[in-house]
Amino acid sequence: MKTIYITRRETFNAAHKLWRPEWSDEKNWEVFGKCSNHNWHGHNFELFVTVKGAPNPETGFVINLKTLSVIVREKVIEALDHKNLNLDVPFLKGIMASTENLAIAIWDLIEQDIIENGGELAKIKLIETENNFVEYFGGKEPF
Ligand code: NI
Protein backbone atom coordinates (compact mmCIF):
# COMPACT_ATOMS: atom_id res chain seq x y z
CA MET A 1 0.00 0.00 0.00
CA LYS A 2 1.29 3.44 -0.92
CA THR A 3 0.67 5.61 2.13
CA ILE A 4 0.49 9.34 1.62
CA TYR A 5 -0.22 12.26 3.95
CA ILE A 6 -2.56 15.09 3.03
CA THR A 7 -3.04 18.29 4.98
CA ARG A 8 -5.81 20.85 5.20
CA ARG A 9 -5.05 24.29 6.63
CA GLU A 10 -7.64 26.37 8.43
CA THR A 11 -7.27 29.51 10.52
CA PHE A 12 -9.04 31.02 13.50
CA ASN A 13 -8.39 33.68 16.06
CA ALA A 14 -9.05 33.41 19.75
CA ALA A 15 -8.21 34.89 23.11
CA HIS A 16 -6.89 33.16 26.18
CA LYS A 17 -4.71 33.48 29.22
CA LEU A 18 -2.58 31.02 31.07
CA TRP A 19 -3.39 31.48 34.72
CA ARG A 20 -3.82 29.31 37.77
CA PRO A 21 -6.13 31.01 40.30
CA GLU A 22 -4.63 29.08 43.20
CA TRP A 23 -1.20 30.56 42.44
CA SER A 24 0.00 34.03 43.44
CA ASP A 25 0.33 36.77 40.83
CA GLU A 26 4.10 36.42 41.19
CA LYS A 27 4.10 32.68 40.51
CA ASN A 28 1.73 33.07 37.54
CA TRP A 29 4.07 35.69 36.12
CA GLU A 30 7.13 33.57 36.77
CA VAL A 31 5.66 30.51 34.99
CA PHE A 32 3.44 32.02 32.30
CA GLY A 33 4.95 35.49 31.75
CA LYS A 34 2.97 37.72 29.42
CA CYS A 35 0.61 34.81 28.73
CA SER A 36 -0.81 35.34 32.23
CA ASN A 37 -2.02 38.87 31.43
CA HIS A 38 -5.26 39.34 33.41
CA ASN A 39 -7.21 40.93 30.60
CA TRP A 40 -6.43 38.25 28.04
CA HIS A 41 -4.45 38.28 24.82
CA GLY A 42 -5.14 36.86 21.41
CA HIS A 43 -3.55 34.83 18.65
CA ASN A 44 -4.17 34.24 14.98
CA PHE A 45 -3.94 30.46 15.05
CA GLU A 46 -3.09 28.36 12.03
CA LEU A 47 -4.32 24.78 12.18
CA PHE A 48 -2.96 22.01 9.94
CA VAL A 49 -4.89 18.74 9.97
CA THR A 50 -2.99 15.86 8.35
CA VAL A 51 -4.73 12.67 7.26
CA LYS A 52 -2.92 9.54 6.16
CA GLY A 53 -3.94 6.73 3.85
CA ALA A 54 -3.70 5.23 0.41
CA PRO A 55 -5.27 7.02 -2.55
CA ASN A 56 -8.72 5.64 -3.35
CA PRO A 57 -8.47 3.80 -6.70
CA GLU A 58 -11.50 5.62 -8.11
CA THR A 59 -10.97 9.19 -6.85
CA GLY A 60 -7.24 9.27 -6.25
CA PHE A 61 -8.04 10.87 -2.88
CA VAL A 62 -7.00 9.82 0.62
CA ILE A 63 -9.94 11.86 1.83
CA ASN A 64 -11.97 14.43 -0.05
CA LEU A 65 -10.45 17.77 1.00
CA LYS A 66 -13.86 19.40 0.82
CA THR A 67 -15.18 16.85 3.31
CA LEU A 68 -12.15 17.36 5.54
CA SER A 69 -12.62 21.12 5.42
CA VAL A 70 -16.29 20.80 6.41
CA ILE A 71 -15.38 18.54 9.35
CA VAL A 72 -12.72 20.96 10.60
CA ARG A 73 -14.86 24.03 10.09
CA GLU A 74 -17.99 22.61 11.72
CA LYS A 75 -16.30 20.88 14.63
CA VAL A 76 -13.30 23.12 15.35
CA ILE A 77 -13.42 26.53 13.71
CA GLU A 78 -17.03 27.29 14.63
CA ALA A 79 -16.29 26.33 18.23
CA LEU A 80 -13.09 28.39 18.54
CA ASP A 81 -13.08 31.32 16.13
CA HIS A 82 -13.46 34.72 17.85
CA LYS A 83 -13.90 32.94 21.19
CA ASN A 84 -12.26 33.20 24.57
CA LEU A 85 -10.71 29.76 25.02
CA ASN A 86 -10.90 29.98 28.81
CA LEU A 87 -14.55 31.02 29.01
CA ASP A 88 -16.45 30.20 25.82
CA VAL A 89 -15.45 26.69 24.81
CA PRO A 90 -17.21 23.80 26.58
CA PHE A 91 -14.66 21.14 25.62
CA LEU A 92 -11.83 23.19 27.18
CA LYS A 93 -13.60 23.71 30.52
CA GLY A 94 -11.25 22.93 33.37
CA ILE A 95 -8.27 22.52 31.04
CA MET A 96 -5.36 24.98 30.89
CA ALA A 97 -5.87 26.74 27.55
CA SER A 98 -2.36 26.10 26.26
CA THR A 99 -1.62 25.42 22.63
CA GLU A 100 -0.58 21.89 23.59
CA ASN A 101 -3.90 21.12 25.25
CA LEU A 102 -5.81 22.78 22.43
CA ALA A 103 -4.11 20.61 19.80
CA ILE A 104 -4.95 17.44 21.75
CA ALA A 105 -8.56 18.58 22.18
CA ILE A 106 -8.84 19.26 18.44
CA TRP A 107 -7.59 15.73 17.68
CA ASP A 108 -10.22 14.25 19.98
CA LEU A 109 -12.96 16.36 18.38
CA ILE A 110 -12.40 15.24 14.80
CA GLU A 111 -10.70 11.82 14.89
CA GLN A 112 -13.95 9.84 14.65
CA ASP A 113 -15.34 11.94 11.79
CA ILE A 114 -12.19 11.37 9.79
CA ILE A 115 -12.33 7.62 10.37
CA GLU A 116 -15.98 7.62 9.23
CA ASN A 117 -14.86 9.29 6.00
CA GLY A 118 -12.25 6.64 5.30
CA GLY A 119 -9.18 8.48 6.57
CA GLU A 120 -6.80 8.13 9.46
CA LEU A 121 -5.82 11.21 11.43
CA ALA A 122 -2.02 11.47 11.48
CA LYS A 123 -1.15 14.88 12.89
CA ILE A 124 -2.52 18.08 14.32
CA LYS A 125 -0.17 21.03 13.91
CA LEU A 126 -1.22 24.23 15.62
CA ILE A 127 0.75 27.43 15.10
CA GLU A 128 0.26 30.00 17.84
CA THR A 129 2.88 32.55 16.78
CA GLU A 130 5.42 32.66 14.00
CA ASN A 131 7.94 31.23 16.45
CA ASN A 132 5.81 28.76 18.41
CA PHE A 133 3.85 25.73 17.27
CA VAL A 134 2.93 22.30 18.52
CA GLU A 135 2.43 18.97 16.75
CA TYR A 136 0.33 16.10 18.08
CA PHE A 137 0.39 12.60 16.64
CA GLY A 138 -2.31 11.06 18.78
CA GLY A 139 0.09 9.60 21.26
CA LYS A 140 1.81 7.62 18.53
CA GLU A 141 5.34 8.04 17.34
CA PRO A 142 5.99 10.77 14.77
CA PHE A 143 5.79 9.51 11.21
NI1 NI B 1 -1.06 33.01 24.26
Side-chain angles (χ1 to χ4, degrees):
M1 183 178 92
K2 308 277 192 189
T3 300
I4 192 161
Y5 297 82
I6 187 166
T7 299
R8 174 73 193 178
R9 172 183 174 270
E10 302 283 349
T11 61
F12 61 95
N13 60 67
H16 74 162
K17 70 177 170 184
L18 301 179
W19 173 266
R20 296 211 70 87
E22 70 273 26
W23 289 358
S24 66
D25 286 6
E26 292 73 23
K27 183 164 182 188
N28 272 292
W29 176 258
E30 187 188 316
V31 174
F32 298 125
K34 287 196 293 187
C35 293
S36 68
N37 180 48
H38 258 304
N39 290 325
W40 320 102
H41 66 278
H43 298 284
N44 293 317
F45 288 95
E46 272 183 275
L47 170 64
F48 295 84
V49 175
T50 300
V51 174
K52 114 187 223 195
N56 177 294
E58 289 180 308
T59 62
F61 295 162
V62 169
I63 187 170
N64 189 313
L65 278 175
K66 194 173 172 189
T67 306
L68 180 58
S69 176
V70 168
I71 292 168
V72 176
R73 288 177 162 276
E74 288 184 352
K75 289 285 171 76
V76 181
I77 305 303
E78 280 184 24
L80 300 177
D81 192 33
H82 287 67
K83 297 291 171 62
N84 180 314
L85 301 178
N86 298 69
L87 301 179
D88 298 332
V89 183
F91 62 85
L92 294 175
K93 275 276 180 291
I95 296 171
M96 182 62 63
S98 66
T99 308
E100 293 90 325
N101 284 339
L102 185 54
I104 293 169
I106 290 169
W107 177 290
D108 292 340
L109 273 178
I110 62 174
E111 182 181 24
Q112 193 56 40
D113 293 85
I114 288 169
I115 291 168
E116 285 166 11
N117 284 281
E120 182 186 335
L121 189 53
K123 182 169 88 167
I124 297 292
K125 177 177 176 179
L126 187 59
I127 300 179
E128 184 183 55
T129 71
E130 61 182 341
N131 295 322
N132 298 332
F133 65 89
V134 300
E135 294 176 292
Y136 182 56
F137 302 89
K140 300 187 288 286
E141 292 297 310
F143 53 81

